[in-house]
Amino acid sequence: MSAVPLRTADLGRTERQRVVTVLGATGSIGDSTMDLVRRGGDRFRVEAVTAHSNVEALAKLAREFKVRFAAIADESRLGELRAALAGTGIACGAGEAAVIEAAARPSDWVMAAVSGAAGLKPALAAVDRGATVALANKECLVCAGELFMERALKAGAQVLPADSEHNALFQALASGNREELSRVIITASGGPFRTWPVEAIEQATLEQALKHPNWTMGQKITIDSASMMNKGLEVIEAAHLFALSADEIDVLVHPQSIIHGMVEFADRSVVAQLGAPDMRTPIAHCLGWPERIQGPAARLDLAAIGQLTFEVPDLKRFPGLRLAYEALRAGKGAATVFNAANEVAVAAFVARQIKFGMIARLVEATMAAAASDGTARAPASVDEALAIDHRARNIAASLLPQIAAKAS
Ligand code: NDP
Ligand code: MG
């Protein structure tokens, strides 16, 4: 046997090495992914990393992992990024096109962890070249799920769900065939307002919404978890990932976040995936797939946890989940509108322009307006989906002042 590691020509990798690209490398999912890549040592080589505006963290990762390309979405930061990478030989770029270029460069595996619909085009660039894509960015499936999955199928790209619930379903689905499935159940922690009365939820502050009981995540998804909009997005995400109808997807509140997802088969067997609430477990599953790699999460100690409990979600206190089912059932562009309006509403809540309870009201009003003026039509292409997204954001922004005024 040769002492020199074999190299494959195209990617400059050693044999059995996986070449990876991480979109949104400076975020919460990015951080967990880079932690696993770091622990994996020679098993991984990083081709490219991207961020929105955090030049310092991006340059630090680029240097540590000796990447070949680093992209910053905010064009005004290119000079800073160049300066931070001077003398390293690492190529860099800025703007949306550079993030797309990072995704399009040759690599075996891509983590799509940009937050929001902004992640759609970069994730598609990875899918279109047939890469294995670990998808954390659920908004891109909610915005243009059908088109996204069609493109993946056409290019022969493997989409691996990195979202914990969907990763659980992906693992559990291996126990049977699609035709034998009767429904899937995704769990929800219930967030910080699980036991709060509706009046208190209405008035909840940003600080209260950011205190998630079980998971440490980026700001947008943490607020989505408090409103249960996140679970709504996940219902739509599951529909696209696994070709399921709204009736085949149930949500169960499970405050301990130990069971992440379950699949019920025709014979009434229910197969569940369990694990400590640590995103490094589903990400490790994607990173090693189809093999298993060492995961750093705490071992599951069910005796110490003692009890696993379950509740039916309360759609009155958490209307975001109801709206997601409505969008899924309405089809066409309704989910695109739902997602766009929610992004606008969350940004307004973070900017302290609206109260927490108004997030769902703004989404509902935008969905109604978009349904009646024809905005929520079925998109024939990704560009059309993005046009619907854009139009829905404008509708939401125009409705914002009256929704805010009504409540004060
Ligand atoms: P974060 O906000 O922590 O990170 C987002 C990442 O995307 C950062 O690297 C950020 O760069 C970058 N980014 C933000 N906006 C843009 C943009 N317009 N263009 C290019 N890059 C951008 O989010 P999370 O890591 O929490 O979530 C990422 C995705 O994964 C979301 O879709 C979320 O729903 C999903 N997800 C997250 C989970 C979690 O535990 N965090 C669990 C399951 C799914 P910068 O740092 O410069 O701002
Ligand atoms: Mg999730």
Side-chain angles (χ1 to χ4, degrees), residues 24 26-29 52-54 113 118 136-139 163 217-218 279:
T26 53
S28 165
I29 293 286
H52 177 253
S53 53
N54 192 344
N137 175 230
K138 63 195 85 185
E139 293 93 339
D163 206 349
M217 309 178 284
M279 282 307 293

Side-chain angles (χ1 to χ4, degrees), residues 21-24 50 96-105 107 109-145 147-149 151-153 155 157-160 382 386:
T21 288
V22 183
L23 310 173
T50 79
E96 191 191 30
V99 178
I100 293 172
E101 184 189 336
R105 288 172 74 100
S107 71
W109 186 96
V110 177
M111 166 53 78
V114 168
S115 74
L120 175 59
K121 281 194 172 171
L124 273 173
V127 154
D128 283 344
R129 65 175 174 82
T132 297
V133 179
L135 194 65
N137 175 230
K138 63 195 85 185
E139 293 93 339
C140 82
L141 277 186
V142 179
C143 178
L147 298 157
F148 187 93
M149 295 308 289
R151 292 263 282 262
L153 196 67
Q158 175 69 49
V159 178
L160 298 173
V382 168
L386 287 170

Side-chain angles (χ1 to χ4, degrees), residues 4 16 70 78 94 99 125 134 140 192 232 263 271 293 316 350 354 369:
V4 183
R16 285 200 77 244
L78 182 59
V99 178
C140 82
V263 177
V271 180
I293 60 172
K316 289 225 164 60
V350 170
I354 58 170

Side-chain angles (χ1 to χ4, degrees), residues 138 163-166 187 215 221 230-231 234 237 279:
K138 63 195 85 185
D163 206 349
S164 55
E165 298 77 4
H166 307 74
T187 60
W215 300 93
I221 183 172
N230 181 51
K231 216 44 57 181
E234 290 184 355
E237 182 186 12
M279 282 307 293

Side-chain angles (χ1 to χ4, degrees), residues 29 32-33 36 109 111 134-136 160-171 215 260 273-289 292-293 295-297:
I29 293 286
S32 294
T33 308
L36 290 165
W109 186 96
M111 166 53 78
L135 194 65
L160 298 173
D163 206 349
S164 55
E165 298 77 4
H166 307 74
N167 185 267
L169 297 182
F170 184 73
Q171 296 196 44
W215 300 93
H260 304 296
Q273 186 264 355
L274 290 75
D278 185 327
M279 282 307 293
R280 291 177 302 178
T281 301
I283 298 170
H285 176 261
C286 295
L287 192 56
W289 188 88
R292 298 263 182 185
I293 60 172

Side-chain angles (χ1 to χ4, degrees), residues 213-230:
N214 303 348
W215 300 93
T216 311
M217 309 178 284
Q219 191 179 59
K220 159 83 172 31
I221 183 172
T222 304
I223 292 166
D224 284 346
S225 299
S227 64
M228 289 195 76
M229 283 286 181
N230 181 51

